[in-house]
Amino acid sequence: DIVMTQSPVSLPVTPGEPASISCRSSQTLLHSNGYNYLDWYLQRPGQSPQLLIYMASKRASGVPDRFSGSGSGTDFTLKISRVEAEDVGVYYCTQALEIRTFGQGTRVE
Amino acid sequence: EVQLVESGGGLVQPGRSLTLSCTVSGSTFGDDAMAWLRQAPGKGLEWVGFIRSEAYGGTTQYAASVKGRFTISRDDSKSIAYLQMNSLKTEDTAVYYCSRLDFYFYYYMDVWGKGTTVTVSS
């Protein structure tokens, strides 16, 4: 299985300030087609997860442009340019190159 | 707007069976691949498996932890995806989510239901 490791586990944030979450995979997620098979999801308190980013850097429909994804191969980053109150929750990265596995989550509070 | 509603959760004894349903509205269900995921209490997300649309053979894929015990199926006439769970173990206790899968070079979860809780306990 591909192991996904996120850091930090917990991230205190200040509204209006930037925030960044790292995700590392145990093997490359770069497919031979040139795309990275990695998504980011946010699970707000008491809610089901929602898609933020797919293919490492493509924002899902309706996701604010303060969210951005970057990286390739085994190292990826989710950035929030200016944190808002509604951004609190647990962020997960997940790979789709093999049977899906998830990072342990990063709690943004 | 696409909506997914899971049902069928509850308390079940170890070794018994339970079937969950995921009713979909607002989409052309027959064209959609569907996935099941779960989240144990206080834990992260875990992939259970998925089923492709009938146009792609309706084939399935499962996580190793449930393979041979869980079966995903679909009824396109009712817009329902099912998760049949046999030989349940205490470690299967979780909130079970269904998700519609969109496809752009790979399947990703673009719409999620609110989940249904399964508790396996004697």
Side-chain angles (χ1 to χ4, degrees):
Chain A
D1 292 2
I2 297 177
V3 177
M4 307 296 292
T5 304
Q6 293 179 229
S7 61
V9 172
S10 179
L11 180 61
V13 296
T14 301
E17 294 296 307
S20 178
I21 300 170
S22 174
C23 175
R24 180 165 292 178
S25 57
S26 60
Q27 62 191 75
T28 184
L29 301 183
L30 181 61
H31 192 277
S32 57
N33 60 20
Y35 292 105
N36 286 281
Y37 283 26
L38 178 112
D39 307 330
W40 290 95
Y41 293 82
L42 164 62
Q43 187 172 30
R44 294 189 173 101
Q47 297 187 16
S48 52
Q50 65 174 98
L51 174 67
L52 294 176
I53 302 286
Y54 62 101
M55 300 194 91
S57 62
K58 296 186 180 300
R59 251 189 322 273
S61 175
V63 174
D65 61 7
R66 65 180 181 273
F67 290 94
S68 63
S70 63
S72 184
T74 61
D75 290 289
F76 301 89
T77 302
L78 176 71
K79 292 183 179 177
I80 310 173
S81 59
R82 293 175 306 279
V83 173
E84 297 191 4
E86 66 180 16
D87 300 337
V88 300
V90 181
Y91 290 77
Y92 295 95
C93 62
T94 172
Q95 62 81 20
L97 193 67
E98 297 181 354
I99 291 182
R100 286 262 184 187
T101 51
F102 290 80
Q104 77 274 35
T106 295
R107 184 174 300 276
V108 170
E109 52 197 0
Chain B
E1 181 190 3
V2 179
Q3 291 190 323
L4 287 66
V5 178
E6 302 93 338
S7 60
L11 175 64
V12 60
Q13 293 179 328
R16 303 298 291 267
S17 299
L18 194 66
T19 298
L20 307 182
S21 300
C22 173
T23 303
V24 181
S25 60
S27 80
T28 308
F29 180 79
D31 294 339
D32 295 332
M34 299 295 298
W36 286 94
L37 301 96
R38 67 184 181 182
Q39 188 169 35
K43 302 296 185 182
L45 298 169
E46 182 186 11
W47 178 258
V48 173
F50 85 104
I51 185 167
R52 294 179 177 85
S53 67
E54 288 300 329
Y56 289 89
T59 53
T60 54
Q61 179 208 70
Y62 300 95
S65 58
V66 305
K67 195 171 185 179
R69 298 189 299 124
F70 289 12
T71 301
I72 298 173
S73 61
R74 60 189 301 149
D75 185 335
D76 290 353
S77 68
K78 297 180 179 179
S79 297
I80 298 176
Y82 299 99
L83 177 64
Q84 180 180 348
M85 304 182 291
N86 298 329
S87 303
L88 282 161
K89 306 175 182 180
T90 55
E91 53 263 41
D92 295 320
T93 293
V95 175
Y96 283 75
Y97 297 101
C98 69
S99 175
R100 186 186 75 167
L101 299 176
D102 200 352
F103 185 86
Y104 186 68
F105 289 93
Y106 64 85
Y107 287 111
Y108 58 90
M109 296 76 73
D110 74 333
V111 183
W112 297 62
K114 295 185 184 304
T116 187
T117 299
V118 173
T119 303
V120 184
S121 175
S122 54

